[in-house]
């Protein structure tokens, strides 16, 4: 199975990004986390993205806050799918990161999830890998069924209260 790379602009993003790593691990997806910054370590970020496919990665998740160019900078160096997590790490509550990440020019896509949406970033990465992996697809379906059951249980509890 292909690996997922989880790149964050700073270790201060880890409390958010941790949910993505935990979700990937829960599905048995191998992941590798790095701190690379589009602005502070541009060479390392570009080097990682341009060699990621040959190293066995199938998807890259990129998390960053403020003027969040990391996902776009990585996307410019590879045709692997890039999923961006805008991180709420500034006085603008993450709206700055969201707009920096989501407004990519045509030709260089970044699939941007919600502000701090790390769990969905991981699930989207898993869904991409599951296109060619029946075991992973089954695990996704089991999670959906469990999520549905949990909501229906809450509904029943509410009516029985
Ligand atoms: C961004 O700036 C990082 O992704 C982080 O969200 C934010 C603050 O970084 P630090 O100053 O905490 O390293 O590049």
């Amino acid at each position: 199975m292909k690996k997922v790379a989880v790149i964050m602009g700073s270790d201060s993003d880890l409390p958010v990004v941790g949910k993505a790593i935990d979700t990937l691990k829960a599905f048995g997806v191998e992941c590798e986390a790095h701190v690379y910054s589009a602005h502070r370590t541009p060479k390392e970020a570009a080097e990682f993205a341009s060699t990621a496919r040959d190293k066995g990665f199938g998807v890259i998740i990129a998390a960053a806050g403020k003027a969040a160019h990391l996902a776009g900078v990585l996307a410019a160096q590879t045709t692997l799918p890039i999923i961006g997590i805008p991180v709420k790490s500034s006085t603008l509550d993450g709206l700055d990161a969201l707009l920096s990440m989501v407004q990519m020019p045509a030709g260089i896509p970044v699939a941007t999830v919600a502000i701090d949406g790390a769990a969905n970033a991981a699930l989207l990465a898993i869904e991409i890998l599951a296109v060619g992996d029946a075991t992973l697809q089954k695990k996704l379906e089991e999670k959906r069924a469990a999520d549905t059951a949990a909501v229906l249980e809450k509904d029943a509890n509410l009516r029985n209260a």
Side-chain angles (χ1 to χ4, degrees):
M1 190 198 302
K2 297 282 187 190
K3 300 181 286 182
V4 174
V6 181
I7 313 298
M8 62 203 92
S10 169
D11 60 354
S12 65
D13 298 321
L14 193 53
V16 169
V17 177
K19 285 192 196 109
I21 296 170
D22 291 346
T23 303
L24 290 165
K25 285 183 177 167
F27 275 82
V29 174
E30 191 181 340
C31 68
E32 194 176 299
H34 293 277
V35 176
Y36 292 134
S37 162
H39 308 114
R40 296 161 172 165
T41 63
K43 285 182 190 162
E44 288 79 2
E47 168 70 15
F48 182 86
S50 61
T51 57
R53 186 186 294 276
D54 288 344
K55 290 177 185 159
F57 292 100
V59 183
I60 298 175
I61 294 173
K66 298 186 176 174
H69 299 130
L70 180 61
V73 161
L74 297 174
Q77 300 291 337
T78 180
T79 54
L80 287 176
I82 306 287
I83 301 170
I85 308 171
V87 176
K88 179 178 169 177
S89 64
S90 78
T91 48
L92 295 180
D93 281 343
L95 187 58
D96 44 359
L98 172 65
L99 296 178
S100 301
M101 203 170 270
V102 78
Q103 289 286 48
M104 287 297 292
I108 311 292
V110 168
T112 305
V113 297
I115 296 169
D116 288 356
N120 266 2
L123 288 170
L124 183 54
I126 294 163
E127 287 180 355
I128 291 168
L129 296 185
V131 167
D133 188 317
T135 306
L136 216 44
Q137 176 62 25
K138 188 163 178 290
K139 287 182 184 177
L140 283 166
E141 283 164 9
E142 286 167 358
K143 185 194 180 310
R144 287 284 177 100
D147 289 350
T148 299
V151 172
L152 293 178
E153 188 182 343
K154 287 176 187 173
D155 176 58
N157 290 342
L158 191 65
R159 279 184 287 108
N160 297 333

